[in-house]
Amino acid sequence: MSRFMLWPLLWILPLILCTATSEDGSAPASEPEECELQRLSMLQARSVLSSSPRLPWDDRVFVFGTYHKGGSTMMVNIVERAFKALGADMDVDSCFRGGFLKNITECMRNNVTSIRLFTGFFCPRDLEETKAIQKPRGARTVMEIRDPRDMMVSAYCFAKSGGDYGVQIFPLHAEKIPFPEILTMGPAEGLRVISQQMFGLLDCMNRSQQKVRDDPDVLVVRYEDFARSSRDFDKRVLQMFHFLFEDLVSPAQYRDMWEAVKVEDLNRQEESGNTNITEHTNDDECMRRSTAVLRALPDINAKVRDFQRSLGYA
Ligand SMILES: *[C@@H]1O[C@H](CO)[C@@H](O)[C@H](O)[C@H]1NC(C)=O
Ligand SMILES: *[C@@H]1O[C@H](CO)[C@@H](O)[C@H](O)[C@H]1NC(C)=O
Ligand SMILES: *[C@@H]1O[C@H](CO)[C@@H](O)[C@H](O)[C@H]1NC(C)=O
Ligand SMILES: *[C@@H]1O[C@H](CO)[C@@H](O)[C@H](O)[C@H]1NC(C)=O
């Protein structure tokens, strides 16, 4: 399914296991020789890195494209934690609040322009815009998509619970979500209202995804693949990091990033104590009930199905 090769992960996973188990003194989970080998390559990588003080974003442009209700909060948090682990001086929260973020430069205290984060929508013209910044190691883009039906239902449930107060989900759409009316709209009426904006967003998501299909510098990830289980979360996060950073960071930095982003795993929230995640996700009952209602709205459901088919979800 993914065009990204998994082989580079093979050396990262045992490294995490070796390091994690040796730190608390218990027996290593994998073969001792294997761990020794990993330590060796880590040392070598460190010495290479120490002779080059450059930061990954000095050499490469990093672009993240996400969509409203498509797992964007999770991705924003992963990006922030990972880049901070690499030493970036950024504070996404301070510039993210109050709307969609298109330009992360404003979150970087040191004015780094080569990390770009699109938090509400990522249209084909946004893809073009990011090509303007040139770096020696080119650009790598991660685009996150989600099942269009879940995005549609989630947008309704979120607005219904008072989130997105009066926002334009999709800024190319002239009208905002009607507040406070939406708060008292049932799923049939609410979905109809929300769908006008969400179809614009889904169209962008579809067109961007079609456009990058054969681009080796773009990795399309699915929210579902991060949310399914902790094992999947780890696998996707490492796959994404390796695609983005390759040899621009050391194995130790890969481990630091992974340690830093683990708290964003939905399935680990209890143990990590990060209850902020659940506060942002929707109430299951609203999702279930509204999904059933959506299936019974022929015109909207048919269009959602078209997007599902185009994006490989049906
Ligand atoms: C991003 O923000 C910076 C700082 O405010 C500004 O200089 C730059 O022109 C902006 N870039 C775009 C593409 O909007
Ligand atoms: C970042 O840019 C602002 C506005 O252009 C400038 O005032 C500030 O000194 C810059 N900060 C750094 C660390 O370069
Ligand atoms: C949760 O959010 C609060 C307030 O925004 C923040 O202070 C806290 O660090 C967050 N917790 C985690 C685990 O990110
Ligand atoms: C998705 O984009 C492709 C390519 O542009 C197009 O052929 C297809 O009809 C689009 N799907 C929908 C549901 O608009």
Side-chain angles (χ1 to χ4, degrees):
M1 188 195 84
S2 164
R3 81 177 97 85
F4 182 74
M5 291 178 296
L6 280 168
W7 65 265
L9 294 180
L10 298 177
W11 62 270
I12 306 177
L13 285 169
L15 173 70
I16 285 164
L17 290 174
C18 293
T19 324
T21 47
S22 54
E23 262 165 15
D24 62 40
S26 56
S30 37
E31 292 299 309
E33 309 89 89
E34 208 180 308
C35 290
E36 213 42 65
L37 212 69
Q38 299 301 337
R39 278 195 201 98
L40 209 68
S41 65
M42 206 160 112
L43 284 175
Q44 280 163 351
R46 268 205 188 118
S47 64
V48 170
L49 206 86
S50 63
S51 65
S52 121
R54 292 178 71 80
L55 294 161
W57 47 93
D58 291 333
D59 289 325
R60 177 168 278 174
V61 180
F62 298 96
V63 183
F64 300 89
T66 68
Y67 300 87
H68 181 61
K69 296 289 118 201
S72 55
T73 298
M74 178 197 74
M75 187 59 78
V76 168
N77 292 345
I78 288 176
V79 169
E80 180 177 20
R81 289 183 194 278
F83 279 98
K84 273 185 170 166
L86 295 176
D89 188 7
M90 71 202 289
D91 178 9
V92 172
D93 213 37
S94 70
C95 57
F96 182 39
R97 229 176 284 121
F100 297 131
L101 178 72
K102 246 189 100 181
N103 186 350
I104 205 174
T105 307
E106 287 146 29
C107 323
M108 305 291 298
R109 297 201 188 92
N110 45 2
N111 295 348
V112 169
T113 55
S114 52
I115 306 172
R116 307 294 302 269
L117 181 62
F118 294 77
T119 61
F121 59 95
F122 187 55
C123 299
R125 58 161 193 183
D126 298 317
L127 270 164
E128 289 307 315
E129 194 194 296
T130 63
K131 295 214 167 85
I133 316 164
Q134 303 279 327
K135 290 282 173 185
R137 296 285 300 268
R140 285 280 156 102
T141 298
V142 170
M143 201 183 126
E144 184 189 19
I145 64 169
R146 186 184 180 190
D147 186 331
R149 174 174 287 145
D150 293 341
M151 285 172 70
M152 183 70 82
V153 171
S154 174
Y156 162 70
C157 290
F158 192 55
K160 164 96 180 159
S161 71
D164 290 336
Y165 197 93
V167 305
Q168 273 169 298
I169 290 177
F170 185 53
L172 296 181
H173 190 277
E175 285 161 44
K176 295 186 174 185
I177 303 173
F179 271 101
E181 293 85 348
I182 190 85
L183 302 176
T184 52
M185 284 180 192
E189 192 187 358
L191 282 165
R192 201 166 284 287
V193 166
I194 291 277
S195 71
Q196 293 171 20
Q197 296 200 35
M198 285 303 283
F199 280 134
L201 184 81
L202 293 176
D203 180 55
C204 258
M205 188 167 96
N206 175 49
R207 283 187 298 118
S208 291
Q209 202 245 9
Q210 306 284 341
K211 201 176 162 96
V212 304
R213 196 158 254 186
D214 301 311
D215 188 338
D217 292 324
V218 183
L219 177 71
V220 177
V221 296
R222 290 168 184 244
Y223 169 73
E224 289 83 359
D225 289 338
F226 287 82
R228 195 174 300 119
S229 69
S230 292
R231 203 187 157 82
D232 283 296
F233 179 87
D234 292 349
K235 205 165 114 187
R236 297 304 160 179
V237 160
L238 290 169
Q239 174 188 12
M240 184 170 89
F241 286 166
H242 211 271
F243 168 78
L244 291 167
F245 301 109
E246 296 179 302
D247 60 344
L248 291 171
V249 302
S250 70
Q253 286 175 307
Y254 272 109
R255 199 194 57 227
D256 291 346
M257 284 192 286
W258 179 73
E259 287 289 345
V261 306
K262 268 196 308 192
V263 292
E264 297 304 330
D265 174 12
L266 286 160
N267 299 295
R268 278 195 188 98
Q269 59 193 350
E270 299 270 298
E271 68 179 79
S272 72
N274 187 1
T275 52
N276 294 7
I277 300 180
T278 20
E279 277 164 24
H280 190 78
T281 54
N282 282 306
D283 143 32
D284 287 345
E285 183 49 33
C286 179
M287 289 293 285
R288 247 193 315 275
R289 211 162 69 87
S290 310
T291 300
V293 171
L294 174 66
R295 285 181 205 273
L297 298 172
D299 51 336
I300 295 181
N301 192 47
K303 215 164 158 186
V304 165
R305 294 275 306 163
D306 284 347
F307 280 115
Q308 284 184 314
R309 269 190 289 270
S310 293
L311 290 157
Y313 279 98

PDB file of all heavy atoms in Angstrom, residues 203 206-207 210 303 306-308 310, ligand 4:
ATOM      1  N   ASP A 203     -12.380  17.978  -1.286  1.00  0.00           N
ATOM      2  CA  ASP A 203     -11.939  18.126  -2.675  1.00  0.00           C
ATOM      3  C   ASP A 203     -10.443  18.485  -2.713  1.00  0.00           C
ATOM      4  O   ASP A 203      -9.685  17.925  -3.510  1.00  0.00           O
ATOM      5  CB  ASP A 203     -12.781  19.216  -3.357  1.00  0.00           C
ATOM      6  CG  ASP A 203     -12.369  19.423  -4.801  1.00  0.00           C
ATOM      7  OD1 ASP A 203     -12.358  18.433  -5.559  1.00  0.00           O
ATOM      8  OD2 ASP A 203     -12.025  20.569  -5.174  1.00  0.00           O
ATOM      9  N   ASN A 206      -8.468  15.389  -1.759  1.00  0.00           N
ATOM     10  CA  ASN A 206      -8.430  14.440  -2.880  1.00  0.00           C
ATOM     11  C   ASN A 206      -7.480  14.915  -3.975  1.00  0.00           C
ATOM     12  O   ASN A 206      -6.624  14.164  -4.441  1.00  0.00           O
ATOM     13  CB  ASN A 206      -9.846  14.251  -3.439  1.00  0.00           C
ATOM     14  CG  ASN A 206      -9.877  13.387  -4.683  1.00  0.00           C
ATOM     15  OD1 ASN A 206      -9.285  12.308  -4.702  1.00  0.00           O
ATOM     16  ND2 ASN A 206     -10.532  13.868  -5.734  1.00  0.00           N
ATOM     17  N   ARG A 207      -7.594  16.191  -4.344  1.00  0.00           N
ATOM     18  CA  ARG A 207      -6.756  16.682  -5.441  1.00  0.00           C
ATOM     19  C   ARG A 207      -5.275  16.691  -5.068  1.00  0.00           C
ATOM     20  O   ARG A 207      -4.421  16.342  -5.874  1.00  0.00           O
ATOM     21  CB  ARG A 207      -7.237  18.047  -5.928  1.00  0.00           C
ATOM     22  CG  ARG A 207      -8.497  17.903  -6.798  1.00  0.00           C
ATOM     23  CD  ARG A 207      -8.929  19.198  -7.454  1.00  0.00           C
ATOM     24  NE  ARG A 207      -9.280  20.206  -6.463  1.00  0.00           N
ATOM     25  CZ  ARG A 207      -8.646  21.363  -6.340  1.00  0.00           C
ATOM     26  NH1 ARG A 207      -7.655  21.683  -7.120  1.00  0.00           N
ATOM     27  NH2 ARG A 207      -9.032  22.223  -5.413  1.00  0.00           N
ATOM     28  N   GLN A 210      -4.014  13.113  -5.167  1.00  0.00           N
ATOM     29  CA  GLN A 210      -3.825  12.622  -6.543  1.00  0.00           C
ATOM     30  C   GLN A 210      -2.551  13.208  -7.144  1.00  0.00           C
ATOM     31  O   GLN A 210      -1.813  12.530  -7.845  1.00  0.00           O
ATOM     32  CB  GLN A 210      -5.021  13.018  -7.429  1.00  0.00           C
ATOM     33  CG  GLN A 210      -6.386  12.598  -6.910  1.00  0.00           C
ATOM     34  CD  GLN A 210      -6.684  11.123  -7.086  1.00  0.00           C
ATOM     35  OE1 GLN A 210      -6.054  10.450  -7.882  1.00  0.00           O
ATOM     36  NE2 GLN A 210      -7.628  10.621  -6.308  1.00  0.00           N
ATOM     37  N   LYS A 303     -21.824  11.327  -2.249  1.00  0.00           N
ATOM     38  CA  LYS A 303     -20.638  12.158  -2.499  1.00  0.00           C
ATOM     39  C   LYS A 303     -19.485  11.735  -1.577  1.00  0.00           C
ATOM     40  O   LYS A 303     -18.327  11.685  -1.991  1.00  0.00           O
ATOM     41  CB  LYS A 303     -21.006  13.630  -2.273  1.00  0.00           C
ATOM     42  CG  LYS A 303     -20.290  14.543  -3.220  1.00  0.00           C
ATOM     43  CD  LYS A 303     -20.915  15.909  -3.281  1.00  0.00           C
ATOM     44  CE  LYS A 303     -19.871  16.906  -3.804  1.00  0.00           C
ATOM     45  NZ  LYS A 303     -20.314  18.284  -3.786  1.00  0.00           N
ATOM     46  N   ASP A 306     -17.953   8.722  -2.984  1.00  0.00           N
ATOM     47  CA  ASP A 306     -17.049   9.036  -4.107  1.00  0.00           C
ATOM     48  C   ASP A 306     -15.663   9.409  -3.587  1.00  0.00           C
ATOM     49  O   ASP A 306     -14.656   8.956  -4.113  1.00  0.00           O
ATOM     50  CB  ASP A 306     -17.594  10.222  -4.929  1.00  0.00           C
ATOM     51  CG  ASP A 306     -18.743   9.811  -5.829  1.00  0.00           C
ATOM     52  OD1 ASP A 306     -18.949   8.586  -6.005  1.00  0.00           O
ATOM     53  OD2 ASP A 306     -19.434  10.718  -6.340  1.00  0.00           O
ATOM     54  N   PHE A 307     -15.646  10.242  -2.554  1.00  0.00           N
ATOM     55  CA  PHE A 307     -14.350  10.631  -1.983  1.00  0.00           C
ATOM     56  C   PHE A 307     -13.658   9.434  -1.334  1.00  0.00           C
ATOM     57  O   PHE A 307     -12.446   9.281  -1.446  1.00  0.00           O
ATOM     58  CB  PHE A 307     -14.509  11.777  -0.976  1.00  0.00           C
ATOM     59  CG  PHE A 307     -14.641  13.124  -1.636  1.00  0.00           C
ATOM     60  CD1 PHE A 307     -15.813  13.861  -1.532  1.00  0.00           C
ATOM     61  CD2 PHE A 307     -13.592  13.650  -2.372  1.00  0.00           C
ATOM     62  CE1 PHE A 307     -15.935  15.102  -2.152  1.00  0.00           C
ATOM     63  CE2 PHE A 307     -13.699  14.887  -3.007  1.00  0.00           C
ATOM     64  CZ  PHE A 307     -14.875  15.609  -2.888  1.00  0.00           C
ATOM     65  N   GLN A 308     -14.441   8.599  -0.682  1.00  0.00           N
ATOM     66  CA  GLN A 308     -13.844   7.403  -0.074  1.00  0.00           C
ATOM     67  C   GLN A 308     -13.178   6.547  -1.146  1.00  0.00           C
ATOM     68  O   GLN A 308     -12.069   6.061  -0.967  1.00  0.00           O
ATOM     69  CB  GLN A 308     -14.913   6.572   0.652  1.00  0.00           C
ATOM     70  CG  GLN A 308     -15.344   7.161   1.979  1.00  0.00           C
ATOM     71  CD  GLN A 308     -16.339   6.252   2.700  1.00  0.00           C
ATOM     72  OE1 GLN A 308     -17.290   5.752   2.086  1.00  0.00           O
ATOM     73  NE2 GLN A 308     -16.141   6.049   3.980  1.00  0.00           N
ATOM     74  N   SER A 310     -12.108   7.523  -4.167  1.00  0.00           N
ATOM     75  CA  SER A 310     -10.945   8.207  -4.744  1.00  0.00           C
ATOM     76  C   SER A 310      -9.734   8.130  -3.828  1.00  0.00           C
ATOM     77  O   SER A 310      -8.600   8.088  -4.286  1.00  0.00           O
ATOM     78  CB  SER A 310     -11.273   9.679  -5.008  1.00  0.00           C
ATOM     79  OG  SER A 310     -12.242   9.798  -6.017  1.00  0.00           O
TER      80      SER A 310
HETATM   81  C1  LIG B   4     -10.437  12.956  -6.981  1.00  0.00           C
HETATM   82  O1  LIG B   4      -9.462  13.472  -7.864  1.00  0.00           O
HETATM   83  C2  LIG B   4      -9.339  12.768  -9.092  1.00  0.00           C
HETATM   84  C3  LIG B   4      -8.178  13.362  -9.865  1.00  0.00           C
HETATM   85  O2  LIG B   4      -8.254  14.738  -9.934  1.00  0.00           O
HETATM   86  C4  LIG B   4     -10.660  12.852  -9.849  1.00  0.00           C
HETATM   87  O3  LIG B   4     -10.565  12.086 -11.030  1.00  0.00           O
HETATM   88  C5  LIG B   4     -11.776  12.299  -8.958  1.00  0.00           C
HETATM   89  O4  LIG B   4     -13.009  12.461  -9.613  1.00  0.00           O
HETATM   90  C6  LIG B   4     -11.800  13.038  -7.638  1.00  0.00           C
HETATM   91  N1  LIG B   4     -12.810  12.478  -6.774  1.00  0.00           N
HETATM   92  C7  LIG B   4     -13.858  13.171  -6.339  1.00  0.00           C
HETATM   93  C8  LIG B   4     -14.812  12.447  -5.468  1.00  0.00           C
HETATM   94  O5  LIG B   4     -14.008  14.334  -6.603  1.00  0.00           O
END
